[in-house]
Amino acid sequence: MKITWYGHAAFKLESPELSLILDPYRHPDAGGYLPIDDAADAVVISHINDRYHSHTGQIKTGFELIAAHEFKPGGQHFRGVHFQAVPVYETPEKLAGDEVTVIYFTMEGLKIVFLSDLGHALTPAERAPLEDADIVMASTGGKPTIALDELMTLLGQIRPRVVIPMHFKTDKINLNILPNEEFLKLAENRYRINRAKTSSVEMTRHNLPSAPEILVLDYAR
């Protein structure tokens, strides 16, 4: 599977059978990240936020929209992949209007967890389906999404093999969030830090690291 980080919380996952775009932002309103003008078989969104997480207008037409916040119990199937979601909130106050989802699915034999805009600790029931993930895409910019100390606790509970940071401060985003280095300072004693120096990596079950790893990608856009 090829994993590309566009920037902010947007990714592309590609296998020979299926290509997905996760949580696309809107250019130029999401800062300086360039448009996501690629093609994909499906666009998967965790919630409605047209500026930062659910803008499909710049993606080439012909995709299936998979909206995790609209899933019925049991999730949704698409081309052999079973997408499921955990309803959560963007902020710890869990107020109406803050609803988002955590998305999880298995693709090319890899269990993927996309934490999206999760903003709080999870209950045992909420985190149970996420445990023992192969790859977790985690917001590492701190509040208003999950605080870094709570994120570290959550990662220790779900035990991913690889954590890919997203949703953090770069020179292309205008949000008041933390740079990824703040997360890496907390994580460096528990995880190997792999700075890929590229926006795309190939991941298979055979090249998963033997010990837990933070995989830092450069933004593609």
Side-chain angles (χ1 to χ4, degrees):
M1 180 194 304
K2 182 180 180 181
I3 301 175
T4 300
W5 181 48
Y6 289 116
H8 201 50
F11 289 86
K12 187 173 188 180
L13 278 58
E14 301 172 85
S15 75
E17 293 79 24
L18 181 63
S19 60
L20 309 172
I21 292 175
L22 292 166
D23 269 19
Y25 54 78
R26 185 175 74 228
H27 168 85
D29 304 296
Y33 292 120
L34 298 176
I36 300 173
D37 53 0
D38 281 348
D41 298 315
V43 176
V44 185
I45 59 173
S46 60
H47 63 292
I48 295 297
N49 180 328
D50 189 61
R51 186 174 187 178
Y52 294 114
H53 291 271
S54 62
H55 184 71
T56 60
Q58 294 166 327
I59 299 169
K60 292 179 180 177
T61 58
F63 57 83
E64 178 88 5
L65 180 64
I66 298 174
H69 58 285
E70 296 178 353
F71 283 176
K72 295 178 181 178
Q76 180 174 333
H77 288 273
F78 180 74
R79 295 195 185 179
V81 176
H82 186 199
F83 297 90
Q84 295 176 274
V86 179
V88 294
Y89 293 84
E90 184 173 0
T91 58
E93 293 79 15
K94 301 182 179 181
L95 301 175
D98 287 343
E99 296 91 345
V100 297
T101 60
V102 169
I103 303 168
Y104 62 100
F105 55 95
T106 297
M107 182 173 168
E108 290 290 291
L110 296 170
K111 183 176 179 178
I112 311 292
V113 172
F114 180 73
L115 292 182
S116 179
D117 266 4
L118 172 68
H120 54 84
L122 296 180
T123 66
E126 289 171 333
R127 70 173 183 261
L130 315 179
E131 292 175 359
D132 297 317
D134 294 305
I135 300 170
V136 169
M137 298 156 179
S139 172
T140 61
K143 295 181 178 181
T145 56
I146 190 167
L148 294 186
D149 58 343
E150 290 185 332
L151 175 60
M152 291 300 300
T153 298
L154 177 60
L155 293 175
Q157 292 166 333
I158 63 178
R159 303 178 299 278
R161 301 281 292 277
V162 177
V163 179
I164 302 179
M166 65 175 186
H167 200 289
F168 55 82
K169 185 75 171 179
T170 72
D171 59 347
K172 287 203 169 188
I173 196 73
N174 54 10
L175 289 172
N176 184 23
I177 53 180
L178 297 172
N180 192 44
E181 294 302 319
E182 296 300 313
F183 167 69
L184 296 181
K185 289 176 186 176
L186 293 178
E188 62 185 0
N189 291 329
R190 291 172 48 184
Y191 296 87
R192 175 176 177 264
I193 309 299
N194 179 2
R195 298 179 187 269
K197 298 183 180 179
T198 180
S199 58
S200 297
V201 292
E202 295 282 350
M203 299 293 299
T204 70
R205 290 218 60 81
H206 301 295
N207 71 0
L208 285 170
S210 57
E213 175 180 288
I214 308 294
L215 176 60
V216 182
L217 298 179
D218 295 336
Y219 53 76
R221 290 293 191 274

